[in-house]
Amino acid sequence: MDGTLQLAARDSTETDALITDAIAGLTAPQKSLSPKWLYDHHGSALFEQITQLPEYYPTRTEAGILRDNAAALAGLVPHNGALVELGSGASVKTRTLLDVGSHFGSYVPVDISRDFLMETANDLQNRYPALSIAPVVADFSAPVTLPDDLAGIPKVGFFPGSTIGNLTPDRAQALLTGVRAWEGVTAFIIGMDMVKNTSDLVAAYDDAQGITAKFIGNILVRLNREAGANFDTQAFKYRASWDPALARIDMHLVSSCDQDVTLAGTTIAFEAEEAIHVSAARKYTPDSLRALALSAGWDVAVRYADAADRFSVVVLTPRM
């Protein structure tokens, strides 16, 4: 690869997909919106603010694990191999590996937010001029097509941030299965948040400054702007709760009154206190993460954790 930035063409049907997805979710018996639509430019920036909040332990805990084990993790990437990150965002934690990965041939950040991805890729190219940066605009919840230049090059997947917890079990398994099918994949590094006491979990997703509420609520702002909806964003309140049976935090937007909303010609009725499910954050135990890995054709090679076992960085290797 020649080190020039390569960017997939923007999907001209993104707005249509947003509208179709939103109408399907909001007209279902349990109203829902896909969390993938949270990450427009403003949403991505809000999420980066969340990662700096005192209540949001996952980012700093995972960052510490990555720093402590950077050499071993970077060493998983073969000489001139590629590190492929799903849902790369600002690639903040990735830099811990890039700083010690002078042997990397390329870094491939994959993210759904084109503008945010491009800004980050340009910044990384300036910081690591000898490294080929090949950004790909894609939704990692669907099969990701990697650049042709990566054909025949060994690859290590990277999925930090406990983002896998935002996927349903079936989708998490599908993602792991998809990465397992990459040509030349040798390992997959995943950040996974662990089950812990309820108060810490809820606080992490309902911060005192209300940044998480703005982040989740931004999906309504986006629907108004891009899909011509007429949500009164002040008429919805944010709620986070822990579901012990499913081992997950659920994030909802709750209608504060009876109201009708119009979206692309479709009228959607809300009753007072009716909720839109926007996102879920599943937490894992050593047994549940191992079961997930095995179901998708991987072995758990190493599990790095902090001293309190609040968070894990898990190295998976292809099961033979």
Side-chain angles (χ1 to χ4, degrees):
M1 301 176 72
D2 61 8
T4 59
L5 294 182
Q6 301 176 35
L7 207 59
R10 189 169 194 173
D11 186 354
S12 62
T13 64
E14 182 177 347
T15 298
D16 289 342
L18 170 62
I19 292 171
T20 299
D21 200 35
I23 291 175
L26 293 174
T27 56
Q30 165 60 70
K31 290 182 171 64
S32 66
L33 290 168
S34 172
K36 71 183 181 182
W37 302 114
L38 292 167
Y39 295 92
D40 61 356
H41 190 276
H42 184 55
S44 296
L46 283 170
F47 183 74
E48 292 306 319
Q49 291 183 43
I50 289 171
T51 65
Q52 304 301 313
L53 294 169
E55 300 96 331
Y56 196 76
Y57 64 85
T59 297
R60 62 177 176 272
T61 305
E62 183 182 35
I65 297 169
L66 292 173
R67 285 194 303 269
D68 291 345
N69 301 282
L73 292 167
L76 294 169
V77 180
H79 185 72
N80 286 330
L83 182 70
V84 182
E85 181 177 5
L86 302 178
S88 55
S91 301
V92 174
K93 285 175 287 218
T94 321
R95 299 170 199 227
T96 301
L97 303 187
L98 297 181
D99 285 344
V100 297
S102 59
H103 63 287
F104 292 3
S106 56
Y107 169 57
V108 183
V110 178
D111 200 89
I112 198 171
S113 177
R114 175 189 170 95
D115 293 342
F116 199 73
L117 176 65
M118 189 61 179
E119 289 176 10
T120 300
N122 285 330
D123 176 65
L124 289 172
Q125 192 67 86
N126 291 330
R127 178 166 177 165
Y128 305 99
L131 180 66
S132 175
I133 310 292
V136 174
V137 179
D139 174 6
F140 64 74
S141 67
V144 174
T145 301
L146 298 177
D148 291 340
D149 287 350
L150 291 182
I153 294 175
K155 305 165 187 67
V156 170
F158 188 41
F159 196 36
S162 70
T163 309
I164 194 165
N166 299 133
L167 307 179
T168 64
D170 287 348
R171 289 182 180 238
Q173 182 186 43
L175 183 142
L176 266 65
T177 301
V179 174
R180 177 68 180 83
W182 289 350
E183 178 196 16
V185 67
T186 59
F188 193 15
I189 305 166
I190 309 180
M192 305 180 85
D193 199 10
M194 309 302 286
V195 172
K196 58 188 66 64
N197 71 75
T198 303
S199 59
D200 283 353
L201 285 167
V202 173
Y205 294 89
D206 194 9
D207 62 279
Q209 296 180 48
I211 305 300
T212 308
K214 291 179 182 178
F215 171 63
I216 298 297
N218 182 62
I219 199 167
L220 303 185
V221 176
R222 183 176 186 182
L223 286 169
N224 286 350
R225 182 182 67 248
E226 298 182 24
N230 65 343
F231 283 96
D232 177 357
T233 59
Q234 300 303 308
F236 288 84
K237 56 189 177 183
Y238 173 66
R239 184 178 70 205
S241 58
W242 171 247
D243 185 333
L246 297 177
R248 75 184 193 188
I249 291 282
D250 286 306
M251 287 155 272
H252 293 92
L253 293 171
V254 182
S255 178
S256 60
C257 59
D258 293 344
Q259 57 179 310
D260 290 337
V261 173
T262 301
L263 171 61
T266 298
T267 299
I268 301 158
F270 288 87
E271 297 179 358
E273 298 303 311
E274 186 174 7
I276 307 170
H277 187 275
V278 181
S279 186
R282 293 178 184 275
K283 309 304 173 183
Y284 288 86
T285 65
D287 287 344
S288 64
L289 72 85
R290 184 176 298 106
L292 173 62
L294 290 174
S295 73
W298 298 92
D299 286 318
V300 177
V302 185
R303 185 173 76 89
Y304 298 104
D306 61 297
D309 204 13
R310 289 155 60 90
F311 197 98
S312 296
V313 174
V314 181
V315 177
L316 305 182
T317 53
R319 188 171 180 81
M320 300 303 179

